[in-house]
Amino acid sequence: MSGHSKWSTIKHKKGAADAKRGKIFSRLGKDITIAARAGGGDADLNPPLRAAIIAAKNANMPNDNIDRAVKKGTGELAGGPLEELNYEGYGPGGVALIANCLTDNRNRTAANVRAAFNKYNGNLAGAGAVSWQFHRKALFTVVDVEEETLLEILMEADVDVEDVTVEDGVAEILAPPTAFAEIADALEKAGIKAEESAMRLIPENTTPVTDVSTAKQLMRLIDVLEDDDDVQEVVANFEMTDALMDEVAG
């Protein structure tokens, strides 16, 4: 399991995810709006929209919220224009970081992201500086499912899966983006609800973090970026031991 995924899992176990439900719904709503704007409001004909709606439903986002987000994207409801921005750089310990944003105010977003990097010993870099180290994947995390059972479900559905890892009762499925809908369908038919289902940037290689001070700065930087309303996704290529991650989280 990637370092950032494990960090998200630890925060979820400690209840941080529930505290950020409003932020999560806002992010998912923007994903739906952008997908609908780009490819239309019919999820059956718009795979990115279908993926965004599945992710929203898995997060228990109300159907009314989902419908409004789709209608904003198709123009049936008024909504301010949103711009996609990507910021790349390095965090403490030389960890590669990307903050993907959706905003109606470029200057505000740039200032907030720059301030976070500066405060927590990070450095912003130019476009393409670190993004080459990441590739977009379909990511699912499920809990309390035996590895053998999960593998049987995926094999019976004959879906294209790249990797399945299980650790501490949490399973992580990685697959090509084109397999997102098929995996979602297979899990749903088996009665398994994904804790997370999304198209995520996954690092090809990781940077080890072993120092407590560095780890705390890095996690604080990631948390501050994720708390920003304009930030949709933060990805990083760090790796650290379970003991260090638990110490930082505690």
Side-chain angles (χ1 to χ4, degrees):
M1 185 176 293
S2 63
H4 199 178
S5 295
K6 182 175 288 186
W7 177 248
S8 298
T9 299
I10 287 174
K11 289 195 297 180
H12 177 79
K13 288 180 178 178
K14 290 181 176 293
D18 290 337
K20 295 183 179 181
R21 178 163 294 184
K23 159 69 176 175
I24 292 170
F25 286 173
S26 175
R27 173 179 58 79
L28 292 169
K30 288 180 181 179
D31 284 343
I32 292 170
T33 296
I34 290 294
R37 186 176 70 183
D42 189 338
D44 291 333
L45 302 177
N46 185 347
L49 176 60
R50 185 182 181 194
I53 290 175
I54 289 172
K57 288 183 175 180
N58 284 340
N60 295 318
M61 185 173 177
N63 288 331
D64 286 347
N65 295 38
I66 293 173
D67 291 340
R68 282 197 299 270
V70 172
K71 289 177 179 178
K72 283 183 181 179
T74 58
E76 296 174 68
L77 288 179
L82 295 173
E83 182 179 7
E84 296 183 68
L85 301 173
N86 301 313
Y87 296 94
E88 303 180 29
Y90 294 93
V95 171
L97 281 169
I98 302 175
N100 294 324
C101 307
L102 282 174
T103 181
D104 58 1
N105 188 323
R106 171 188 284 263
N107 292 335
R108 178 191 66 221
T109 306
N112 289 348
V113 171
R114 186 177 298 111
F117 270 83
N118 289 340
K119 184 174 183 179
Y120 296 103
N121 198 28
N123 294 288
L124 281 172
V130 303
S131 58
W132 59 271
Q133 302 179 54
F134 297 80
H135 293 89
R136 185 71 64 180
K137 305 286 185 183
L139 169 68
F140 295 81
T141 57
V142 298
V143 298
D144 300 327
V145 178
E146 294 291 335
E147 182 175 8
E148 184 176 345
T149 300
L150 185 59
L151 291 174
E152 287 178 358
I153 291 168
L154 296 172
M155 286 189 292
E156 287 178 4
D158 194 26
V159 294
D160 187 8
V161 173
E162 294 181 0
D163 191 28
V164 177
T165 58
V166 180
E167 190 172 336
D168 297 330
V170 180
E172 182 179 275
I173 304 168
L174 286 178
T178 53
F180 185 96
E182 292 180 340
I183 295 174
D185 287 342
L187 294 176
E188 183 178 2
K189 289 176 182 177
I192 297 174
K193 180 180 177 180
E195 292 290 308
E196 178 184 7
S197 57
M199 300 289 191
R200 291 288 302 270
L201 286 170
I202 304 297
E204 291 295 321
N205 298 291
T206 58
T207 297
V209 176
T210 58
D211 177 70
V212 174
S213 177
T214 299
K216 287 182 176 180
Q217 278 193 324
L218 175 62
M219 295 300 99
R220 185 58 182 152
L221 171 57
I222 290 173
D223 284 346
V224 168
L225 288 172
E226 289 183 335
D227 282 343
D228 192 292
D229 288 339
D230 295 335
V231 177
Q232 290 290 97
E233 174 188 35
V234 179
V235 293
N237 74 337
F238 72 88
E239 196 65 50
M240 64 179 70
T241 64
D242 292 353
L244 179 55
M245 197 169 292
D246 287 337
E247 181 176 350
V248 172

